[in-house]
Amino acid sequence: MMQTPGKAPSSLLVVLAFATVYIVWGSTYFFIQRALAGMPPFFLGSFRFMVAGMIMMTWSLLQKEKLFDWAAMKPAIITGLLLLFVGNGVVIWVEQFLPSAMVAIMVSSAPIWFVVLDKPKWSENLNNKTSIFGLLIGFAGVILLFSEKIMISMSSLNSSRDLFALGLVVLGSMSWAGGSLYSKYNAVSPSATVNSTWQMLTAGIAFMPGVIFSGELSSLDLGKIPADVWLATAYLVTFGSIAGLSAYVWLLKVQPATKVSTYAYVNPVVAVMLGIFFAKESISRIQIIGLMIILGSVLLINLHKYRKPKTLTPVV
């Protein structure tokens, strides 16, 4: 996706991009779980982003895009480290011993960090009461969505280790928001494809030390990885990384960051619905309330878009 300077983005493209980020990224929770059944976490992260990055690089070269330009590469590399390596890497690491429900809630604090860290938009965001209220109740909705699982898992927490892990997830969420904002304000290339290429290749390389030092290579046998694990990984590469990240990077350039950040509230909704339809999970009344609150919060955050501007009465 490439945005022509000074030209408003197509409404259809914006809708499709939001649908991709909302639905596809929401589905990655389901497919990551499937992929981790046969692949160690750091190898999965490195493999996923390296393969996706190489595919994107090939496509960029075929399209004769300006790929090897340090001015464009530098911000994309920094974004890739903040967004995909730190943001995703922390989640991968802590999910080895933290309940996924707790991780999901901490990750869902990202929209709040978008407002806190987006200094150029402080006056606009902090004065928009419906958006702020929408962010707060959206976070409350995510807590409701996972509240029953949290109550069950609280007794299994190791206080010192898990508090440290929760702190890391908060830092990871801040890093994701910070990397997204850095990309929004500092990306040089107008091509989301070029930006995504360097972000993913950077993350893929950055995950490699984790693969080596964690000892994953010594226990990894590619020949014994089941077909369904490879299929789940292929989905993560094509839809989660190539389609999802490209849509996200493009949206950051053409839409307000606060609005784009609502993906963090919608993704858990999609994940829960997929669990119900495909993994035969049940849904409780309190989860339904949480889902309704989350969807309502997204409407509130975008309410100003639907309000008609006030017309001035001419003075006769």
Side-chain angles (χ1 to χ4, degrees), residues 78-263:
I78 293 172
T79 301
L81 289 172
L82 291 172
L83 209 68
L84 303 177
F85 175 61
V86 177
N88 271 358
V90 163
V91 171
I92 289 172
W93 187 74
V94 300
E95 281 202 2
Q96 296 175 90
F97 40 82
L98 269 188
S100 59
M102 282 195 163
V103 176
I105 285 178
M106 301 310 290
V107 169
S108 294
S109 67
I112 297 171
W113 293 118
F114 269 87
V115 173
V116 172
L117 298 176
D118 195 1
K119 188 176 180 180
K121 293 286 186 178
W122 275 358
S123 59
E124 179 182 330
N125 290 335
L126 297 177
N127 288 324
N128 191 330
K129 294 179 181 179
T130 56
S131 291
I132 295 297
F133 184 60
L135 289 170
L136 293 176
I137 70 165
F139 187 58
V142 175
I143 293 174
L144 268 180
L145 187 64
F146 295 105
S147 60
E148 293 169 324
K149 290 184 179 180
I150 289 177
M151 295 302 293
I152 294 171
S153 60
M154 281 292 287
S155 58
S156 64
L157 291 180
N158 177 301
S159 58
S160 57
R161 182 198 67 186
D162 293 338
L163 283 175
F164 173 71
L166 285 171
L168 280 181
V169 179
V170 173
L171 289 176
S173 184
M174 292 175 65
S175 178
W176 180 276
S180 299
L181 292 169
Y182 182 86
S183 176
K184 180 177 181 65
Y185 295 121
N186 295 279
V188 174
S189 174
S191 170
T193 306
V194 172
N195 289 324
S196 299
T197 295
W198 291 115
Q199 289 174 25
M200 288 189 283
L201 287 175
T202 299
I205 293 169
F207 272 113
M208 287 181 179
V211 176
I212 297 168
F213 294 116
S214 66
E216 289 182 355
L217 281 179
S218 60
S219 60
L220 183 65
D221 186 349
L222 296 178
K224 293 183 178 179
I225 296 176
D228 63 324
V229 171
W230 284 116
L231 288 173
T233 305
Y235 179 90
L236 293 173
V237 168
T238 53
F239 293 98
S241 295
I242 294 175
L245 185 63
S246 297
Y248 181 71
V249 170
W250 181 75
L251 280 173
L252 284 172
K253 294 294 292 182
V254 301
Q255 294 289 300
T258 305
K259 184 177 176 182
V260 179
S261 72
T262 55
Y263 81 90

Side-chain angles (χ1 to χ4, degrees), residues 22 26 29 142 145-146 263-276 290-292 294-295:
Y22 281 174
Y29 287 95
V142 175
L145 187 64
F146 295 105
Y263 81 90
Y265 293 158
V266 180
N267 285 172
V269 175
V270 175
V272 168
M273 298 308 292
L274 284 173
I276 293 168
L291 291 174
M292 293 174 66
I294 292 168
L295 296 176

